[in-house]
Amino acid sequence: MAYRDKYEVLGVIMAMASNGLSVYKKGEDEGQISGGSIGDVVVRDKGEGGFASVNIIGEQEWEAMPQNEAAEAEMKQTASGAKNLAPELAKAKNEIERLKAEILEAKGEAERFKEECANLQDQISAAAGENLTLTQEIQKLEVENKKLKEAAKKAEKSKADNAPKANEPQGLNLGGNE
């Protein structure tokens, strides 16, 4: 596997020259090379001795290339971790969907509860109206009952006043003319 730290970056191809060569640039340094496309990276192998070759590496290939073996191991571990997280992500998405369904159901229940409360409030209002009517009727009946009791007392008293007393003679004609 190729690693970035095995190369010296000479520049990135920025333009095409009129002579058909590609122009690469790094900072103030500039050069030309045959081949490549704009965005490709021009590199020199870091050889351990003599002659080092100059190569062109595609922009996407360069971006995907790890810096060194440790970076490659880390990339592989990260990729493996991402693969391991895929089932967890799927579970989480399913749980989210389940919770969304529960929320919708709860909203529906809340609406039904709200309607039921409104109906109960209407029933309470109607019952309160009936209660008021019955209370007024009871008050009328109590007043009428009181009047009847007073009339009964008066009648009882009048009966007692009109009843013959035990000492009084009853129906005797003392005058002799019968």
Side-chain angles (χ1 to χ4, degrees), residues 117-133:
C117 286
N119 288 339
L120 289 173
Q121 188 63 43
D122 290 344
Q123 289 175 4
I124 288 170
S125 295
E130 289 176 24
N131 188 30
L132 180 61
T133 302

Side-chain angles (χ1 to χ4, degrees), residues 81-95:
K83 286 179 185 175
N84 292 338
L85 289 177
E88 292 298 319
L89 178 61
K91 284 180 187 176
K93 285 181 178 179
N94 287 339
E95 184 66 11

Side-chain angles (χ1 to χ4, degrees), residues 1-14 22 24 33-46 53-67:
M1 172 112 210
Y3 302 110
R4 286 186 185 188
D5 65 355
K6 301 285 185 198
Y7 299 101
E8 174 190 356
V9 177
L10 300 176
V12 176
I13 297 177
M14 305 301 281
S22 300
Y24 62 89
I33 190 167
S34 176
S37 301
I38 294 176
D40 289 349
V41 181
V42 179
V43 296
R44 180 178 313 162
D45 292 340
K46 289 183 180 177
S53 63
V54 174
N55 295 309
I56 299 172
I57 300 176
E59 181 179 11
Q60 291 177 346
E61 183 182 349
W62 180 257
E63 291 299 320
M65 188 182 295
Q67 182 66 28

